[in-house]
Amino acid sequence: MLTAMDVSSRDALYPGGLKLESGTKYVAVCKGAPNMLLELCETFIDHDGNAQKLTESTKKDITQIIDDYSDKALRVLAIAIHQIASFPFDPADEDVTTDTKFQFCRQNLQLVGLVASIDPERHGVKDAVKDANGASIRVVMITGDYLKTAVAIAKNISILDPDEGEEAACDCAKLRPGG
């Protein structure tokens, strides 16, 4: 998900919040899968609100945090921003494709942070899986979740045994042509 907003009259994203670079007129805010969004980020905002280069070592550390949350069945989203002085196109021009706008806005991203949330399984799901297995019905789960999150959820509702690992699951990217 991507949103662009006019911040031309501000020096911070919100009062007391992240300071904007001089000349910033717009901010594009991207929210999405951390494993994908992290690859588009060049910098990250540190605890003091300063932009730091996002090194491979830092990406590895952040990925470990994502994996730790995911192993607890938490869904993790990354939030990144692109501070924009001006667009290379007229944002109101309907002839400029959405893809062109999207490609521009997701350049030079700064990772702002991660958000982890839990979407608990619905009442009765675990019992339904047990009943289906008892009737020799193989239960599968198809989800767009990060693989580690999906595995943890599948273990929570007894689709996977507690001792089964990621090898018992399949990332949906492998099901796509060329995946």
Side-chain angles (χ1 to χ4, degrees), residues 16-64:
L18 179 67
K19 300 282 184 225
L20 297 172
E21 296 169 2
S22 178
T24 299
K25 292 191 179 2
Y26 303 93
V27 171
V29 181
C30 296
K31 171 188 80 165
N35 53 324
M36 295 181 177
L37 206 49
L38 196 56
E39 291 306 313
L40 299 173
C41 292
E42 296 178 3
T43 59
F44 71 100
I45 306 300
D46 68 15
H47 297 288
D48 296 321
N50 299 311
Q52 303 290 333
K53 180 152 179 57
L54 190 56
T55 64
E56 287 305 314
S57 175
T58 305
K59 282 184 183 181
K60 186 177 175 185
D61 292 344
I62 293 169
T63 300
Q64 185 59 55

Side-chain angles (χ1 to χ4, degrees), residues 68-99:
D68 291 346
Y69 284 142
S70 298
D71 285 338
K72 297 173 186 169
L74 294 172
R75 291 187 167 101
V76 183
L77 290 174
I79 310 294
I81 63 169
H82 175 187
Q83 299 185 45
I84 303 167
S86 65
F87 289 105
F89 49 79
D90 177 0
D93 185 348
E94 293 185 17
D95 290 333
V96 178
T97 67
T98 301
D99 285 342

